[in-house]
């Protein structure tokens, strides 16, 4: 009878991502976070300052209703 040997698969080499892909991904996440933060800050501005900026509450409401990935 033949002896059975345990099968141990070879480890799969880890894929290296391209530096540009890593950089682009981090930039995209940073842009999304900045957009989220700016909309949150915009929602907290009082009416007097909004008038100075030339914005209405409706403009702010419309902008803050967008998702973080929307421009």
């Amino acid at each position: 009878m033949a002896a059975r040997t345990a099968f141990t698969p070879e480890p799969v080499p880890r894929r290296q991502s391209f530096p540009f892909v890593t950089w682009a991904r981090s930039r995209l996440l940073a842009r999304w976070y900045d957009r989220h933060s700016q909309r949150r800050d915009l929602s907290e501005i009082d009416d007097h300052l909004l008038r100075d900026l030339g914005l209405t509450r409706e403009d702010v409401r419309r902008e803050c209703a967008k998702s973080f990935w929307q421009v």
Side-chain angles (χ1 to χ4, degrees), residues 10-33:
E10 294 182 22
V12 177
R14 186 176 170 153
R15 282 179 39 192
Q16 294 290 328
S17 73
F18 293 104
F20 174 76
V21 173
T22 303
W23 175 82
R25 185 182 306 141
S26 65
R27 291 295 305 150
L28 180 63
L29 291 174
R31 188 177 311 133
W32 284 351
Y33 182 75

Side-chain angles (χ1 to χ4, degrees), residues 1-70:
M1 202 169 202
R4 298 182 81 176
T5 59
F7 175 72
T8 55
E10 294 182 22
V12 177
R14 186 176 170 153
R15 282 179 39 192
Q16 294 290 328
S17 73
F18 293 104
F20 174 76
V21 173
T22 303
W23 175 82
R25 185 182 306 141
S26 65
R27 291 295 305 150
L28 180 63
L29 291 174
R31 188 177 311 133
W32 284 351
Y33 182 75
D34 286 344
R35 198 174 293 152
H36 166 74
S37 298
Q38 290 171 8
R39 287 177 178 156
R40 186 186 60 228
D41 292 343
L42 182 63
S43 70
E44 297 173 357
I45 295 178
D46 66 355
D47 291 331
H48 179 263
L49 292 176
L50 286 178
R51 272 194 310 268
D52 286 348
L53 294 172
L55 298 172
T56 65
R57 270 288 150 204
E58 181 61 26
D59 295 334
V60 172
R61 187 198 61 75
R62 195 175 317 117
E63 185 65 28
C64 292
K66 294 179 183 178
S67 297
F68 62 88
W69 63 84
Q70 294 177 319

